[in-house]
Amino acid sequence: MTVTRPVIRLRVPTPEDAAAWHRAFDDPEVMEFHGGASQTLAHYEEFTARQRDHAERHGCCFYTLLDASGEVVGFTGAQPWPHDWGPAGEIEIGWRLGRAHSGRGYATVAARAALERVRAAGIGHVVAMVHEHNTRSIAVARRLGMRVAEHLVTPVSKSPALCFRLDL
């Protein structure tokens, strides 16, 4: 049996990607494990700007994920963990897709491509914080070869989370 992997492209987010991320993630199902509520366009404008800064300063970021036709389907990549709890000081790998693109292999293929960029930036290991009920993201982390390093409870929502780790 031949497995067809999706064709993807990663790019450092452009200012225009803020609107595309906002459209893709303005969905309660997509945001279920990311605070539950949709974010504003202003949030994504700031978020994409921060990713451009990470790319410049760290050699990696959360990249805009495009499909073969050039449509924005989500993001994947790595950034410094942005909180003072959990894996503070670590580099976090993450992914998020619009619902229409979920379940097609995009997250795994894109995360593998992002890991290559992280390695090229000289980063020795990454973590992934995943809500313990987010079975799809847990499956992606495992396909990447990540292992659970710690069980945590998030301080604001009090949600159970798994901290995965991968040495590169």
Side-chain angles (χ1 to χ4, degrees), residues 91-134:
I91 299 296
E92 168 202 26
I93 186 168
W95 45 87
R96 188 180 308 166
L97 303 176
R99 184 171 18 153
H101 306 286
S102 186
R104 297 183 184 178
Y106 284 110
T108 302
V109 168
R112 285 184 178 138
L115 282 174
E116 291 307 313
R117 292 182 182 199
V118 170
R119 279 186 190 98
I123 296 167
H125 66 271
V126 293
V127 297
M129 289 293 293
V130 180
H131 189 289
E132 80 171 15
H133 301 300
N134 188 343

Side-chain angles (χ1 to χ4, degrees), residues 32-94:
E32 177 182 7
F33 300 111
H34 306 285
S38 295
Q39 298 289 338
T40 64
L41 176 58
H43 167 83
Y44 290 108
E45 289 169 341
E46 187 279 327
F47 191 38
T48 55
R50 189 168 5 114
Q51 297 313 309
R52 289 189 294 279
D53 182 61
H54 289 326
E56 200 170 294
R57 291 180 35 208
H58 303 287
C60 60
C61 66
F62 281 163
Y63 300 98
T64 296
L65 169 57
L66 303 134
D67 68 9
S69 71
E71 180 182 353
V72 173
V73 300
F75 69 68
T76 191
Q79 68 172 1
W81 175 248
H83 307 290
D84 59 2
W85 61 272
E90 302 278 358
I91 299 296
E92 168 202 26
I93 186 168

Side-chain angles (χ1 to χ4, degrees), residues 103-166:
R104 297 183 184 178
Y106 284 110
T108 302
V109 168
R112 285 184 178 138
L115 282 174
E116 291 307 313
R117 292 182 182 199
V118 170
R119 279 186 190 98
I123 296 167
H125 66 271
V126 293
V127 297
M129 289 293 293
V130 180
H131 189 289
E132 80 171 15
H133 301 300
N134 188 343
T135 57
R136 287 182 171 185
S137 281
I138 290 169
V140 171
R142 290 181 198 250
R143 282 192 291 273
L144 296 174
M146 301 187 89
R147 300 288 175 245
V148 174
E150 192 173 359
H151 294 261
L152 300 166
V153 175
T154 61
V156 175
S157 67
K158 305 297 183 203
S159 299
L162 302 172
C163 180
F164 286 85
R165 184 178 185 90
L166 178 66

